[in-house]
Amino acid sequence: MEEKRIRLLDIQFARFLARRSALSDKEKEQFHDIVCRLSMGLGAGDSCLPLTEQEEVLVERSGLSGLNDHPLCVVNDCLYLQRYFEHEKRLAEKIRSFAAFPAKLDGDETLLDLLFGRKNTDETDWQRFAASQALEQSFLIISGGPGTGKTTTVVKILALLQSVAGNGLRIALAAPTGKAAMRLQESIGTSVHSLPLDESILKSIPLQASTLHRLLGVKRHSPFFHHNGDNPLSYDVVVVDEASMVDLALMNKLVDALHPGTRLILLGDKNQLASVESGTVLADLISAMPENTVELQRSYRFDRGIQRFAEAINGGNSLPAWNLLVRDDPQNISLLEEDAAEYGGRMYCSYMSAVRQAETLDDYKSLFLSLQSFKILCALRHGPAGVSGINERVEHYLTTQGYDCFSTAWYGGRPVMITRNDYGLDLYNGDMGICLPDPENHEIMKVWFERSDGSLQGLLPGRISSCQTVYALTIHKSQGTEIGEVLVVLPAKDSELLTRELLYTAITRARQSVKIKSSRSVFDRTVNEKIKRHSGLAVRLSGREVSARNVA
C-alpha cells in the first residue's frame, strides 16, 4: 500500500477530466478535487472512492460518468475508473460461475483416512475438511496463518483428486512472485514423496511452480497475456499460493484464462498485507464466499513465541505484544536497543565472509541460503529508517570491516532484487540475485539468479535495467519468503503506512527469531491501526443488487 499523498499524476489526470467536463468553473474545481482523490486512492490500493450524495450528483452532471463509453462510473455510491469497475464486475461474474459449476467427484472415507488418518475425536480436522470440500467444489480458498499446513494440505488434495479422477488431471502450481513460487515448489517436493500412495499418483503431481506471469504467458510491451478467455490454459486444476498478494487486475486475468470446469484453489493468509496494487481480493473473496472457504486453525511448525506475538498484533493488542518484546520470555522475541544498520552489518559479515570463499556454482547456491538466514525488513522505502538509508549504512559498516562495498557498484556479494519485470530476460519484480564472479573467469562479474529447476543463471550487470540492493527490503517485498531471523525497522515518526497487517506480515516471515526496532508510541500506533481500502468486490460477489447512476 502506498501512502496517500498527492502526486503530479493525480493533479494532471484530475485537470484533464475537469477541463472536459460539462460543469461551471466553480463546479469544475469540486470535480477536480473528487477525481484527484480517486486517483490518489488508486495509487494507495483502493479500487474506488466512496462519494456523498452531493458528490454523486456533481459527477453525474459532469457528462463523464456512465458505462462503456465514459471514463468514470458511479456504482453503489462509489466512483470508479471504468477499467477498475470492469475488473471487479468481470472477476465477480467469473468467480460466481466457477463456484456454481458442477464439480462433484466421488471420494470415499478410506482414501481420506489414508491421507489424513482416522478421525479419533469430535474435533474438526480442518485439513481433512478442506480435502473433502475440494472434491465437492471447483473453487476453494484455503486460508491460514504460518505453519497451519496450507501447502501440505494442498499436496494431499492434489493426490486425492488424481486418485479419484483416474490420474489424468493436468495441474499447474503458481504464485505471484518468483520467490513465492520457489517456496511452493520446495514445499510440494518435500511433502509429495511422504504420501502413502501408488508411485503413479505421486508422479502425476507436478514438482515445479511458476509465477502467474509465466503461467499466463507474457506478451512483450503489452499489459495482456497469451492465455485469456479466447485462448484458455489447458489445466484441470490450478493452485495459487500467497493469493493475498494477487491484485484485482491480475486475478481477473487469471480467472479469465481458465476454461469452465477448471478447479481453482487459492492459498493464503487473510491477515497478511493485501497486494501492492489495487484491491483486497483474497479478503473480499473470503468475506463474500464463506461456503467456499476453509480456514486452517492449528499451527504445526510455527514457533510458539512468534505465534503468540503474531496473534497479539493481529488482534490489535499492543500491550501484550509490547510486553513480549521487552521481557526475556520468549527469548527469540526482543526489542533492539542498538543501531539497526550496525546490528544488521554485523549479521551480514558472516555472509560476506562466505562470499570471499565461494568459488563454484554449488558454493554460490549456498550463499542464497545464507542470505535467507537474516534480513532487515523496513516499513518505508526512504529516509534513515527506510530501505535506502539502511542499505547504505549497512554497506558502510561492511566497508569498515574490510568488505569494500563502494569501489564499484557491482561488488562481490552485493544482493539485489529486480524492481521491474524484464520479460526478455525472464526476470520479474521481486526476483533476487547475487553479484559474484564467473567461476570460469573471475575477471567477469555476473548477477546470479536461482531458477525453478534449481540451477543458477548468470547475467552481466549491464543487462539488468532495474534493481536495488537488498540487505534491507520493504515488508511488502518480503512477502512469499521465509527468513531465519528478521529485524523489523519502524520509522521514528508516525506514518500512514504503519498498520498491524504490515507488522504481522513482517514477523510471520521469521522461522526462528524476531527483533523490532521501534519506539513504544510508534509500535502502539502500528498495532492499533488497520488497513483501510475501498473495494466493491465483496458486495458484487455477494450478488446484492447494484445501484448505479448513469449505468445503462
Side-chain angles (χ1 to χ4, degrees):
M1 181 181 69
E2 296 294 337
E3 193 167 351
K4 287 188 180 180
R5 58 181 182 274
I6 194 164
R7 305 165 297 176
L8 181 60
L9 171 65
D10 306 323
I11 297 171
Q12 294 295 340
F13 178 63
R15 184 176 298 165
F16 176 82
L17 289 187
R19 285 174 176 172
R20 285 155 178 79
S21 69
L23 300 170
S24 67
D25 288 344
K26 184 176 181 180
E27 289 174 328
K28 282 183 178 180
E29 292 180 11
Q30 296 172 320
F31 182 73
H32 178 280
D33 177 66
I34 293 170
V35 176
C36 202
R37 285 189 285 124
L38 172 64
S39 182
M40 290 168 61
L42 294 175
D46 297 337
S47 59
C48 57
L49 174 71
L51 297 179
T52 66
E53 185 174 351
Q54 287 181 328
E55 288 173 334
E56 285 189 45
V57 172
L58 182 67
V59 171
E60 179 183 355
R61 293 181 54 243
S62 72
L64 299 175
S65 175
L67 284 188
N68 303 322
D69 56 348
H70 294 78
L72 305 172
C73 63
V74 179
V75 180
N76 283 350
D77 303 321
C78 290
L79 177 64
Y80 286 85
L81 277 185
Q82 193 70 236
R83 178 161 59 100
Y84 289 92
F85 171 71
E86 290 298 329
H87 282 325
E88 279 194 358
K89 178 183 176 184
R90 187 167 180 83
L91 178 57
E93 290 172 349
K94 292 286 288 186
I95 290 293
R96 288 203 304 267
S97 175
F98 273 106
F101 195 90
K104 183 175 175 58
L105 290 173
D106 293 326
D108 56 38
E109 292 295 317
T110 302
L111 193 52
L112 288 169
D113 288 343
L114 187 63
L115 289 168
F116 296 94
R118 291 182 178 274
K119 295 195 303 183
N120 297 319
T121 67
D122 293 333
E123 182 181 354
T124 302
D125 182 340
W126 293 105
Q127 293 189 357
R128 182 187 179 111
F129 180 69
S132 65
Q133 291 298 100
L135 291 173
E136 301 279 342
Q137 302 175 349
S138 58
F139 176 62
L140 180 65
I141 304 168
I142 301 176
S143 178
T148 52
K150 294 186 292 293
T151 51
T152 300
T153 303
V154 86
V155 169
K156 294 180 179 180
I157 287 174
L158 296 179
L160 177 66
L161 292 174
Q162 287 287 31
S163 299
V164 172
N167 203 22
L169 296 177
R170 296 161 296 181
I171 300 170
L173 307 174
T177 67
K179 182 59 69 176
M182 289 186 68
R183 267 196 60 206
L184 174 61
Q185 184 172 296
E186 291 166 0
S187 298
I188 296 287
T190 301
S191 302
V192 70
H193 295 295
S194 64
L195 299 179
L197 296 174
D198 187 82
E199 189 68 20
S200 64
I201 298 294
L202 302 185
K203 287 183 177 180
S204 69
I205 299 173
L207 298 180
Q208 286 203 340
S210 70
T211 63
L212 287 171
H213 285 80
R214 292 186 182 107
L215 177 70
L216 294 172
V218 169
K219 286 185 176 180
R220 295 190 66 182
H221 312 299
S222 170
F224 302 105
F225 295 100
H226 287 292
H227 292 289
N228 51 40
D230 296 324
N231 181 33
L233 293 161
S234 60
Y235 296 103
D236 303 300
V237 182
V238 173
V239 176
V240 180
D241 196 15
E242 298 290 350
S244 64
M245 299 170 63
V246 184
D247 64 83
L248 178 63
L250 184 56
M251 187 66 81
N252 182 49
K253 291 174 182 179
L254 170 65
V255 299
D256 199 42
L258 303 179
H259 61 76
T262 300
R263 271 179 159 77
L264 177 60
I265 302 175
L266 304 180
L267 311 178
D269 184 346
K270 66 178 182 180
N271 297 313
Q272 280 191 27
L273 284 167
S275 62
V276 176
E277 303 297 334
S278 62
T280 53
V281 177
L282 183 67
D284 287 342
L285 289 170
I286 292 172
S287 172
M289 307 184 74
E291 68 279 4
N292 294 89
T293 303
V294 177
E295 183 168 358
L296 306 182
Q297 300 174 16
R298 178 182 173 188
S299 181
Y300 292 88
R301 61 167 176 80
F302 200 43
D303 177 87
R304 181 55 187 158
I306 299 176
Q307 183 180 11
R308 286 165 56 201
F309 191 42
E311 288 172 350
I313 289 169
N314 188 43
N317 301 315
S318 59
L319 179 58
W322 183 262
N323 288 338
L324 287 171
L325 279 178
V326 297
R327 68 188 192 195
D328 293 333
D329 181 29
Q331 295 182 342
N332 60 342
I333 308 292
S334 61
L335 187 70
L336 184 71
E337 300 289 351
E338 63 182 290
D339 181 76
E342 184 171 329
Y343 177 81
R346 288 207 313 274
M347 293 295 291
Y348 279 118
C349 279
S350 59
Y351 160 73
M352 293 300 286
S353 176
V355 167
R356 284 185 171 177
Q357 300 173 39
E359 296 181 352
T360 68
L361 288 181
D362 285 340
D363 294 336
Y364 290 0
K365 289 180 182 180
S366 67
L367 293 177
F368 283 90
L369 294 175
S370 178
L371 264 183
Q372 289 305 108
S373 66
F374 172 78
K375 193 68 68 179
I376 305 171
L377 306 183
C378 301
L380 307 180
R381 287 182 293 175
H382 305 294
V387 167
S388 57
I390 295 289
N391 275 319
E392 183 177 352
R393 290 196 289 134
V394 167
E395 288 182 317
H396 177 77
Y397 180 89
L398 292 173
T399 299
T400 66
Q401 302 303 305
Y403 304 104
D404 191 355
C405 302
F406 292 106
S407 60
T408 176
W410 294 101
Y411 58 87
R414 180 189 173 192
V416 298
M417 175 178 284
I418 299 299
T419 57
R420 185 180 303 163
N421 295 339
D422 190 326
Y423 305 125
L425 296 177
D426 199 28
L427 292 177
Y428 296 86
N429 190 354
D431 287 352
M432 295 185 67
I434 302 175
C435 184
L436 297 161
D438 187 329
E440 297 181 358
N441 185 348
H442 281 231
E443 299 297 318
I444 299 176
M445 299 299 289
K446 291 186 175 181
V447 184
W448 298 87
F449 295 90
E450 292 180 295
R451 289 313 191 190
S452 59
D453 61 359
S455 66
L456 295 182
Q457 178 187 17
L459 298 170
L460 293 172
R463 299 187 66 191
I464 299 173
S465 59
S466 184
C467 68
Q468 65 183 31
T469 304
V470 284
Y471 295 106
L473 70 160
T474 62
I475 295 169
H476 268 104
K477 292 289 188 181
S478 74
Q479 285 182 272
T481 64
E482 283 189 358
I483 303 162
E485 176 185 325
V486 299
L487 167 58
V488 184
V489 180
L490 301 181
K493 296 182 180 179
D494 195 9
S495 166
E496 289 185 18
L497 285 172
L498 301 179
T499 64
R500 73 179 64 160
E501 292 89 351
L502 188 82
L503 188 53
Y504 173 87
T505 299
I507 65 174
T508 53
R509 300 308 91 212
R511 292 192 306 270
Q512 297 160 354
S513 63
V514 174
K515 285 185 169 57
I516 305 288
K517 180 66 176 178
S518 175
S519 67
R520 173 70 185 273
S521 60
V522 169
F523 181 85
D524 286 348
R525 160 67 170 74
T526 301
V527 175
N528 291 323
E529 186 68 21
K530 282 185 66 65
I531 285 179
K532 300 180 183 68
R533 280 193 176 181
H534 301 299
S535 166
L537 180 60
V539 172
R540 203 144 290 117
L541 283 163
S542 68
R544 278 177 268 171
E545 187 68 25
V546 174
S547 61
R549 290 181 181 266
N550 283 351
V551 175

